[in-house]
Amino acid sequence: MESIFHERQEGSLCAQHCLNNLLQGEYFSPVELSSIAQQLDEEERMRMAEGGVSSEEYRTFLQQPSVNMDDSGFFSIQVISNALKVWGLELVLFNSPEYQRLGIDPINEKSFICNYKEHWFTVRKLGKQWFNLNSLLMGPELISDTYLALFLAQLQQEGYSIFVVKGDLPDCEADQLLQMIRVQQIQRPKLIGEETAQSRDQRLPRSDMDQAIDVNHPFDGTGMLDEDEENFQKALALSRQEMDMEDEEADLRRAIQLSMQGSRRSESSGSSPQNVPQLPHTSQTESLSSEELRRRRQAYFEKQQQQQQDQTQNLHNKPTLSSSTLEADPGGDMSEEDMLQAAMNMSLESVRNNLNTEEEK
């Protein structure tokens, strides 16, 4: 339907939109319609002046505003009728007794102009199909042949005045194209007000009831917007990253715990003779080992926070630490990999000490 010309509502210029949608082009502007309205006002003034410029009727007429236009952009049926005469077109009242006696089927006509209060819009046949070209709609609305009569009857019941456009309309691209093909419309175009209200509702925070409804009726995701899907993927990646960090921290804690157990066994076997009670010095060694591990864990968490604040600088300036350096300075700058490697080295050394002790026995 891209080839169909359709002007949307601007201010109160529905008469202009009605004419241009009917003729399928920008044929009339507010200035041209105002000129026609002023010409009609002048012709009416001259007729009133024939009865005497000093008469009460004439003075009252001059004080009254124009009935053919106003400041909002409204134009009367006389202005629309005179504008169509330029193209050799004529308006006939659809529900007049004269027209009804003709018994013409609406689908055999070419177009209609509908008016209710101060709003005008066009219903026109393009090719072999009918379209509602109301400027209050976001786009043309397809009307089937079987629904056309019901649509016009509904408008009449709502108080609309309907006029049949008689004469040959100017050629247009949409009419030529739709003579060869037929179009289908899956969804009816929304009113301009409905589109604005929907956009506003989407910006408002959702209530708990709306969220509960979504839980009971989950969205299948087939129509998910690209932006929503992108946000979902970002959240999923962040969640996976946090899970990986938690797994690494769990591995580190397990390695440290294993190291503590190995150190205690090694100290118990190496520093105490067989069948001799444990000396008080051994408990001090265990206490020092626990304190050392706590210091290392504290250094690790402080380093992690520092990396988050200045990650780029740490990547370029991070020193390379050896095992001896880690043993001499457990509270220094240590990365997560260094902490894990140090804990594993301590665990392996404890196991080797245990094996050596058993061999000596």
Side-chain angles (χ1 to χ4, degrees):
M1 298 185 186
E2 295 180 358
S3 61
I4 300 177
F5 181 87
H6 178 259
E7 280 188 355
R8 297 182 184 178
Q9 186 75 18
E10 293 183 5
S12 299
L13 299 176
C14 53
Q16 171 195 330
H17 305 320
C18 174
L19 289 170
N20 289 338
N21 290 340
L22 171 68
L23 301 175
Q24 285 294 285
E26 297 179 355
Y27 289 93
F28 291 100
S29 67
V31 176
E32 294 170 337
L33 295 179
S34 298
S35 178
I36 296 175
Q38 292 174 359
Q39 183 180 357
L40 291 173
D41 290 343
E42 182 62 21
E43 293 175 357
E44 190 173 356
R45 187 194 66 79
M46 292 178 62
R47 287 194 299 269
M48 293 295 298
E50 294 177 355
V53 294
S54 59
S55 64
E56 185 67 23
E57 291 80 3
Y58 183 76
R59 288 196 298 267
T60 303
F61 171 79
L62 294 179
Q63 294 176 357
Q64 293 176 350
S66 173
V67 295
N68 294 302
M69 67 175 183
D70 59 23
D71 296 336
S72 66
F74 167 78
F75 296 99
S76 66
I77 181 61
Q78 289 80 12
V79 175
I80 295 177
S81 179
N82 280 28
L84 292 177
K85 287 180 181 179
V86 177
W87 296 93
L89 301 174
E90 181 183 1
L91 295 180
V92 178
L93 190 61
F94 175 72
N95 55 356
S96 64
E98 293 78 12
Y99 181 81
Q100 292 297 325
R101 282 196 294 266
L102 298 177
I104 301 177
D105 192 331
I107 63 174
N108 294 327
E109 300 288 357
K110 298 179 180 178
S111 58
F112 301 91
I113 287 181
C114 307
N115 167 250
Y116 179 69
K117 295 183 178 180
E118 296 184 353
H119 182 63
W120 301 89
F121 71 92
T122 292
V123 178
R124 171 171 173 170
K125 191 175 188 178
L126 293 169
K128 300 177 182 179
Q129 295 175 287
W130 283 91
F131 295 90
N132 177 10
L133 304 178
N134 194 337
S135 58
L136 294 178
L137 294 174
M138 295 297 296
E141 178 186 15
L142 179 63
I143 301 177
S144 64
D145 291 348
T146 55
Y147 181 66
L148 178 63
L150 296 175
F151 179 72
L152 296 176
Q154 180 182 359
L155 291 178
Q156 285 183 302
Q157 186 177 6
E158 294 175 357
Y160 276 83
S161 298
I162 303 176
F163 300 89
V164 184
V165 181
K166 293 291 187 179
D168 295 330
L169 295 167
D171 294 334
C172 64
E173 178 183 357
D175 186 60
Q176 296 173 358
L177 180 62
L178 294 175
Q179 290 286 351
M180 299 179 292
I181 62 174
R182 296 180 66 89
V183 297
Q184 294 181 351
Q185 190 172 50
I186 301 176
Q187 185 176 6
R188 173 189 177 277
K190 298 178 181 179
L191 290 171
I192 296 178
E194 292 178 349
E195 189 76 12
T196 304
Q198 183 177 9
S199 300
R200 184 175 62 252
D201 293 341
Q202 291 175 353
R203 292 192 298 266
L204 294 176
R206 302 172 63 197
S207 63
D208 295 339
M209 180 62 70
D210 294 336
Q211 296 178 9
I213 293 175
D214 286 350
V215 172
N216 294 328
H217 303 280
F219 182 57
D220 58 4
T222 56
M224 180 180 291
L225 298 177
D226 294 339
E227 182 178 358
D228 295 337
E229 187 173 1
E230 182 180 358
N231 294 334
F232 173 75
Q233 293 297 336
K234 289 181 179 179
L236 183 60
L238 181 60
S239 177
R240 288 174 178 173
Q241 183 178 0
E242 293 177 352
M243 292 175 62
D244 293 339
M245 292 179 62
E246 292 176 357
D247 293 340
E248 291 174 359
E249 293 178 0
D251 293 339
L252 179 60
R253 287 194 296 269
R254 286 193 295 269
I256 291 174
Q257 184 177 6
L258 179 61
S259 175
M260 292 176 63
Q261 295 174 355
S263 298
R264 291 171 180 173
R265 289 194 299 269
S266 177
E267 291 169 357
S268 300
S269 302
S271 59
S272 301
Q274 189 174 5
N275 299 327
V276 178
Q278 184 67 32
L279 297 177
H281 179 70
T282 305
S283 61
Q284 295 177 359
T285 304
E286 292 181 359
S287 176
L288 291 175
S289 299
S290 300
E291 180 65 21
E292 180 182 1
L293 290 172
R294 282 195 294 270
R295 288 176 54 195
R296 292 190 179 187
R297 289 197 299 270
Q298 182 66 27
Y300 162 69
F301 289 119
E302 291 177 355
K303 183 63 178 178
Q304 188 179 34
Q305 294 178 355
Q306 182 178 356
Q307 287 177 349
Q308 291 178 355
Q309 296 175 355
D310 197 2
Q311 183 177 3
T312 305
Q313 183 177 357
N314 289 339
L315 288 175
H316 291 289
N317 300 330
K318 183 175 66 176
T320 303
L321 300 177
S322 62
S323 300
S324 60
T325 304
L326 292 175
E327 294 175 358
D329 188 14
D333 293 341
M334 301 180 65
S335 66
E336 180 182 347
E337 292 82 1
D338 296 332
M339 284 292 300
L340 182 59
Q341 185 64 36
M344 294 177 64
N345 291 337
M346 292 177 62
S347 178
L348 292 174
E349 289 177 2
S350 300
V351 173
R352 283 196 296 267
N353 292 334
N354 293 336
L355 293 175
N356 293 334
T357 302
E358 293 177 357
E359 290 177 358
E360 291 177 357
K361 293 178 181 179

